[in-house]
């Protein structure tokens, strides 16, 4: 009887020890899931990701700017291969009235990201019969494809205002100038300098009097990117 009582007493003690055992403490190494510390860690991580994104975008912009320069400037010397005038200098027509010319072309931007929109300022000399004339042209010019593509061929069209510095007597000091061009360009041959060749049509119509000129030209010059 005593042995049974002792056995029951030991079983009660063992059971009490099992149920009274405390649960293991939470590891102190685990990051907090809520509270001020958790919020601070979240925003710190988000700020780091944002900074990395900004740095990556800045690097991409620098690389894009190096490969695709924003500024394009060309200077060329042109010569008319053939030209005809009508009602300019005589009642009929004349041959080979146009001479030398100089053009400066600056790319102002892109149009629909596929074409360059440029401003071309040109100077031309003319010998119409016994009289001479000189003219400045101010012409917006669209060329395809855009220069950033580095494609060796391009095509263009432009129209603008011509202002005669010297003009034949009785003829309009203003003209409507228009051009059709095709060319080949090679950029960055020597650092930021390249060259190009161009050919096409250069025509004008006198605005306040009768008279017009049609001509074909050849041109060559330098291209600067910066």
């Amino acid at each position: 009887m005593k042995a049974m009582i002792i056995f029951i007493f030991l079983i009660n003690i063992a059971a009490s020890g099992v149920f009274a055992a405390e649960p293991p403490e939470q590891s102190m190494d685990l990051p907090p899931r809520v509270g001020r510390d958790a919020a601070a860690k979240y925003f710190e991580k988000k700020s780091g990701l944002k900074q990395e994104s900004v740095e990556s975008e800045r690097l991409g912009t620098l690389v894009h700017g190096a490969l695709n320069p924003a500024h394009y400037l060309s200077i060329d010397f042109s010569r008319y291969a053939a030209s005809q005038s009508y009602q300019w200098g005589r009642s009929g027509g004349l041959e080979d009235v146009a001479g030398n010319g100089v053009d400066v072309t600056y790319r102002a931007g892109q149009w629909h990201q596929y074409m360059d929109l440029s401003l071309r300022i040109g100077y031309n000399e003319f010998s119409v019969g016994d009289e001479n004339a000189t003219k400045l042209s101010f012409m917006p010019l669209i060329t395809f494809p855009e220069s950033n593509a580095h494609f060796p061929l391009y095509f263009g069209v432009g129209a603008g205002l011509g202002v005669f510095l010297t003009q034949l007597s009785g003829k309009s000091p203003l003209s409507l100038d228009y051009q059709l061009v095709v060319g080949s360009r090679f950029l960055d041959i020597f650092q930021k300098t390249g060259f190009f060749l161009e050919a096409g049509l250069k025509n004008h119509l006198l605005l306040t009097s009768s008279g017009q000129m049609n001509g074909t030209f050849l041109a060559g010059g330098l291209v600067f990117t910066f």
Side-chain angles (χ1 to χ4, degrees):
M1 186 67 179
K2 290 182 177 180
M4 185 176 294
I5 294 174
I6 293 173
F7 178 72
I8 295 174
F9 179 73
L10 292 175
I11 291 176
N12 290 333
I13 293 176
S16 300
V18 171
F19 291 107
E22 296 181 357
E25 295 183 358
Q26 184 179 3
S27 175
M28 299 301 294
D29 296 333
L30 294 177
R33 296 183 179 180
V34 295
R36 181 180 301 175
D37 293 339
K41 287 184 177 296
Y42 170 78
F43 285 110
E44 181 180 353
K45 182 178 180 181
K46 187 174 181 181
S47 177
L49 292 176
K50 183 177 181 180
Q51 183 66 24
E52 291 180 3
S53 176
V54 170
E55 292 296 333
S56 177
E57 183 177 354
R58 183 179 303 171
L59 179 61
T61 301
L62 292 176
V63 172
H64 183 272
L67 297 177
N68 302 287
H71 303 286
Y72 173 104
L73 177 70
S74 67
I75 302 175
D76 70 78
F77 174 81
S78 64
R79 175 74 183 179
Y80 280 86
S83 58
Q84 304 83 32
S85 67
Y86 303 93
Q87 303 297 323
W88 189 31
R90 290 183 185 174
S91 58
L94 293 172
E95 298 288 334
D96 297 326
V97 296
N100 300 323
V102 177
D103 297 306
V104 177
T105 305
Y106 178 76
R107 189 184 73 174
Q110 289 183 329
W111 190 47
H112 293 292
Q113 299 181 351
Y114 297 105
M115 291 172 277
D116 285 338
L117 180 60
S118 305
L119 174 63
R120 173 168 288 185
I121 301 176
Y123 171 82
N124 282 105
E125 298 175 341
F126 306 93
S127 179
V128 187
D130 297 331
E131 299 183 79
N132 296 325
T134 57
K135 182 185 65 173
L136 281 177
S137 296
F138 303 90
M139 181 179 301
L141 182 70
I142 296 175
T143 54
F144 173 86
E146 78 280 11
S147 57
N148 286 346
H150 290 260
F151 191 72
L153 298 178
Y154 66 92
F155 308 89
V157 59
L161 180 68
V163 179
F164 283 89
L165 303 179
T166 57
Q167 172 63 298
L168 281 63
S169 58
K171 292 299 180 177
S172 171
L174 301 177
S175 65
L176 172 64
D177 294 4
Y178 55 98
Q179 296 183 11
L180 296 174
V181 301
V182 58
S184 179
R185 59 191 169 201
F186 304 91
L187 305 179
D188 302 334
I189 299 300
F190 179 74
Q191 294 183 354
K192 297 296 185 179
T193 303
F195 66 93
F196 76 102
L197 300 173
E198 189 174 280
L201 304 176
K202 282 186 179 181
N203 303 336
H204 73 234
L205 295 171
L206 301 183
L207 291 179
T208 60
S209 69
S210 61
Q212 71 179 72
M213 192 280 303
N214 302 328
T216 58
F217 75 97
L218 296 173
L222 299 176
V223 180
F224 305 94
T225 57
F226 52 97

